[in-house]
Amino acid sequence: MSIYAERLQAVQAQIHQMQTNLGSNAQNVMLLAVSKTQSASIVREVFDAGQRAFGENYVQEAIDKQAELTELAIEWHFIGPIQSNKTQLIAKHFDWVHGVDRLKIAQRLSTTCQEINKTLNICLQVNISGEASKSGVAPEAVLPLLTEIHALPQLRIRGLMAIPEPTQNVELQRERFKSLRLLKESLQAAGYPMDTLSMGMSEDFGMAIQEGATIVRIGSAIFGARPSKQTSDTQASIGK
Ligand SMILES: *Cc1c(COP(=O)(O)O)cnc(C)c1O
């Protein structure tokens, strides 16, 4: 068995264990394999080990990889920062977009989806770690944004996503995850059905599942540590 298949199985087992521990409170959890900076052939190995959903941060890198993997039934998720001049490509090449945090971006995605008659799954990115984080909409601004995006055609709002700033403070991180869940519940109560909480990465996905995550985005626990490449693309993304 390949090292990737082994690591994938270990992560799947941990997710399963968390769900077992939660008993009747357990949610369905989708494992999203974050394959940024990994080659197409490695993605293929992980696919062959049974993984179907892959997350990418950089548009051009993802498109190049997809071109090598066209015959594979992969569900592609865009999880990186969204530049408005890339929305057309993102709408065309992805099934899900996690980091929507501005009306303008949503409008542009919606326009392209209308042109190509496609429905796109989106999550609104929420800034749950306060001043330290640059991306994501403030919690109190989510409802007004949601109301406007809800009116746009061809976008299916699935839920909320967050990338909290790294911290050693485990209880702080748990509070942040919990605050995202409570926000989702309040939006559901306000009449916006959603089924997705995209939160938790290699370091903290167990805690995220305990706090209600339905998608965990896992890179290094499957693929190993990423080589640090110093492109502007990388710097624009999260600092790791
Ligand atoms: C890179 C990345 C991940 C995966 O991070 P790991 O710590 O390698 O699991 C998850 N979400 C986003 C938005 C990322 O950019």
Side-chain angles (χ1 to χ4, degrees):
M1 194 167 31
S2 84
I3 179 76
Y4 304 110
E6 271 176 39
R7 293 201 197 109
L8 179 67
Q9 278 193 3
V11 171
Q12 287 167 338
Q14 286 174 65
I15 291 173
H16 189 247
Q17 186 62 53
M18 298 307 305
Q19 290 179 293
T20 304
N21 295 346
L22 286 170
S24 61
N25 292 324
Q27 308 263 0
N28 282 331
V29 176
M30 179 205 277
L31 167 55
L32 181 63
V34 176
S35 46
K36 62 176 172 221
T37 77
Q38 308 297 335
S39 68
S41 61
I42 291 175
V43 171
R44 185 183 297 275
E45 278 191 56
V46 176
F47 179 92
D48 288 342
Q51 179 65 27
R52 292 295 175 267
F54 289 84
E56 291 280 340
N57 294 55
Y58 315 116
V59 178
Q60 195 53 52
E61 180 195 320
I63 292 174
D64 293 345
K65 231 176 272 186
Q66 289 171 354
E68 292 187 55
L69 301 169
T70 45
E71 80 284 11
L72 305 187
I74 290 178
E75 181 175 272
W76 291 101
H77 293 233
F78 189 77
I79 62 170
I82 307 170
Q83 295 167 314
S84 57
N85 62 352
K86 297 279 171 65
T87 49
Q88 222 176 358
L89 287 171
I90 292 172
K92 283 183 181 154
H93 287 269
F94 290 87
D95 304 295
W96 283 70
V97 180
H98 289 230
V100 177
D101 64 357
R102 278 172 290 157
L103 179 61
K104 180 182 165 201
I105 295 290
Q107 284 167 332
R108 295 178 64 107
L109 291 171
S110 172
T111 300
T112 300
C113 286
Q114 279 178 281
E115 285 163 11
I116 61 177
N117 194 23
K118 167 179 182 172
T119 302
L120 192 62
N121 296 293
I122 64 165
C123 294
L124 303 189
Q125 185 178 347
V126 185
N127 177 358
I128 51 171
S129 40
E131 285 172 21
S133 174
K134 305 133 294 249
S135 53
V137 55
E140 62 275 14
V142 173
L143 182 57
L145 180 63
L146 180 62
T147 308
E148 289 183 292
I149 294 180
H150 198 75
L152 299 173
Q154 312 290 116
L155 299 183
R156 187 161 170 222
I157 304 171
R158 298 298 297 267
L160 307 179
M161 176 263 202
I163 314 174
E165 289 295 305
T167 173
Q168 301 304 322
N169 185 336
V170 179
E171 281 317 306
L172 173 63
Q173 199 72 332
R174 182 181 294 282
E175 281 306 312
R176 290 165 169 174
F177 288 145
K178 183 177 167 189
S179 72
L180 196 68
R181 171 169 52 82
L182 293 176
L183 181 59
K184 169 175 165 269
E185 288 171 2
S186 74
L187 298 169
Q188 286 170 318
Y192 292 97
M194 13 179 101
D195 60 10
T196 300
L197 271 185
S198 166
M199 62 185 193
M201 319 202 301
S202 295
E203 293 295 315
D204 53 21
F205 68 89
M207 193 160 67
I209 291 170
Q210 287 175 337
E211 296 304 330
T214 67
I215 298 182
V216 289
R217 308 179 309 262
I218 302 197
S220 45
I222 297 171
F223 295 99
R226 280 180 293 280
S228 59
K229 65 167 190 179
Q230 290 298 317
T231 65
S232 55
D233 230 356
T234 313
Q235 283 161 359
S237 182
I238 72 169
K240 49 189 320 207

